[in-house]
Amino acid sequence: MQGVKQTNDLKSLKTRQLIIQNNDNSFPTPGNVLTVVDNHGTVEPMPPSGNTGSTGASGSTGPTGPTGSTGSTGPTGPTGPTGATGPTGSTGDTGPTGSTGSTGSTGSTGYTGPTGDTGPTGSTGSTGSTGSTGYTGPTGSIGSTGPTGSTGGVTAGQYYSDYLYWDTASMTWLPQSSKPGSSTTISYVGIGSNAGEFNQGSNATAIGVNAGNRNQGPLSLAIGYNAGYTGQGGISGNAVAVGSNAGYSNQQAGAIAIGYLSGYSNQGLYSTAVGYNAGYTGQGQYAVAIGAFAGINSQPANSIIINATGATFDVSGSGFFVKPIASIGGRTGTWVPLSWNQHSGEIAY
C-alpha cells in the first residue's frame, strides 16, 4: 500500500482515521480490511462495515482488446489406418510397335534341283536409248584444190562504189548502175527492203524499209520507215522526208518534213514541217509548222505556227502564230502590245 505514514505505535497517532490504499492507487473494498497491527502487538479492530449499498449501474463495456498472437501448432496426431484398395482402372491404349529387330543370318543354300525345259521365247522389248556419240577421229589431210569454175551470172558494176541489189523481176543480183538511165552522173539509191522500188527519179535517195517506194521524184530524199512512200516531190522533186512515215503520201516539190508523221499527207509546195505530227495533213504551200502538233490539220498557206504547248495548235488564216507567250500582267483585251526584254531576250505581253 502507498500513502500510509509509517509508525510503530498506533495509539500515538492523533488521527482517528487510517486511510489504506492499494499499490495501483485504488482503494480496498469496504469490509475487506479487518485489523491493523502495530509493533507492540496491539490489535485494533476495524470499525464494522456498514451495510453494502445497492449495486450501481453497470458501466459501458470497454473496447475489445487486441487479439493475442496465435499459439504454436500442436503435435501431429498419429496416422490413421490405410483405406481399402480401389477397383482396378480400365486397360490403357496399346503402345506403338517397337522397331523390327535385325535380320538373322541367311541359312545355307539348299540343293539345286534339275533344270527344267526351256520356255518359249518372249516378245522383243523396245529399243533402248542411243548411247552417246563416240570420240571424233582426227581430221584427214586437205585434198588438192579443184579447177576454177566458170564465172557466175552477176553483172559487173560500172563505176566506183556501185553496189548490188536484188531485182525481183529477174530474180538476180544486179549492180545499181544497171538501172535504166544510170550513168556516172545519174544514179538511183535504194537501200532497205523495197526502198525506191518503183519509178524512182534520177539521183533520188531512199533509205529504209519502203522508203521512196513509189514514184519518188528526182533529187528527193527519203530516210526512215515509209518515209516519202508514194509520190514524193512530184515531177520536180527536191522533197525531203526524214523520219518514220514523214512525207508519206503526195509530198509536193521542195517540201520538207522532219519528224514522225510530219507532213504525212498532201504537204504543200515548199512548205516546212518540223516536229512530231507537225503539218500532219493538208499543210498549205509556203507554210511553216514547228513543234509537236503544230498545224496538224490543214494549215493555211503562207502561215507560220510555232507551238510549244504540247497540244494541237491550228489556225484559220495566214499570219504568224506562237504559243505560249508569257504575260507580264496588266494587259487585257484581244490585241495587246508585246514587249521585249533586252536583258533576257524574252517577248511577253
Side-chain angles (χ1 to χ4, degrees):
M1 291 186 294
Q2 297 178 347
V4 179
K5 184 178 180 181
Q6 184 176 356
T7 180
N8 292 325
D9 187 2
L10 294 175
K11 292 181 178 182
S12 65
L13 296 175
K14 294 180 179 183
T15 182
R16 295 297 184 180
Q17 294 180 342
L18 178 64
I19 299 174
I20 300 172
Q21 192 175 9
N22 296 326
N23 289 333
D24 60 359
N25 294 328
S26 63
F27 296 98
T29 304
N32 287 343
V33 179
L34 300 178
T35 59
V36 178
V37 182
D38 62 11
N39 291 336
H40 299 288
T42 304
V43 177
E44 291 291 339
M46 292 297 291
S49 300
N51 296 327
T52 303
S54 59
T55 304
S58 299
S60 58
T61 303
T64 303
T67 304
S69 58
T70 304
S72 59
T73 303
T76 303
T79 304
T82 303
T85 303
T88 302
S90 57
T91 303
D93 297 334
T94 302
T97 303
S99 58
T100 303
S102 58
T103 304
S105 58
T106 304
S108 58
T109 304
Y111 171 74
T112 303
T115 303
D117 297 333
T118 303
T121 304
S123 58
T124 304
S126 58
T127 304
S129 58
T130 303
S132 58
T133 303
Y135 172 74
T136 302
T139 304
S141 59
I142 299 174
S144 58
T145 303
T148 303
S150 59
T151 303
V154 178
T155 303
Q158 297 183 24
Y159 42 80
Y160 179 79
S161 75
D162 205 357
Y163 64 90
L164 294 175
Y165 72 96
W166 180 255
D167 180 47
T168 56
S170 63
M171 297 301 289
T172 58
W173 288 100
L174 295 174
Q176 179 274 143
S177 59
S178 67
K179 289 184 178 181
S182 292
S183 67
T184 57
T185 59
I186 299 176
S187 66
Y188 307 88
V189 178
I191 300 176
S193 176
N194 300 320
E197 183 176 8
F198 301 105
N199 300 321
Q200 187 180 29
S202 61
N203 294 316
T205 300
I207 300 174
V209 176
N210 293 325
N213 179 265
R214 298 173 182 272
N215 304 315
Q216 185 182 24
L219 300 171
S220 294
L221 172 65
I223 300 176
Y225 174 76
N226 281 334
Y229 177 78
T230 181
Q232 184 189 26
I235 296 175
S236 300
N238 287 291
V240 175
V242 179
S244 177
N245 290 292
Y248 176 85
S249 174
N250 298 321
Q251 184 184 30
Q252 298 300 302
I256 297 174
I258 300 175
Y260 175 69
L261 291 175
S262 60
Y264 177 80
S265 174
N266 300 316
Q267 186 180 19
L269 285 168
Y270 306 108
S271 60
T272 301
V274 179
Y276 181 90
N277 273 299
Y280 177 78
T281 181
Q283 185 182 30
Q285 62 183 3
Y286 303 105
V288 176
I290 299 175
F293 307 109
I296 191 171
N297 295 304
S298 302
Q299 182 183 2
N302 305 101
S303 65
I304 300 173
I305 299 176
I306 299 177
N307 183 26
T309 65
T312 299
F313 185 15
D314 289 325
V315 299
S316 58
S318 299
F320 179 50
F321 305 88
V322 180
K323 282 185 179 182
I325 295 179
S327 172
I328 57 179
R331 298 180 180 181
T332 59
T334 302
W335 289 95
V336 294
L338 295 177
S339 298
W340 175 64
N341 187 320
Q342 62 179 338
H343 298 293
S344 65
E346 181 181 19
I347 296 175
Y349 67 92

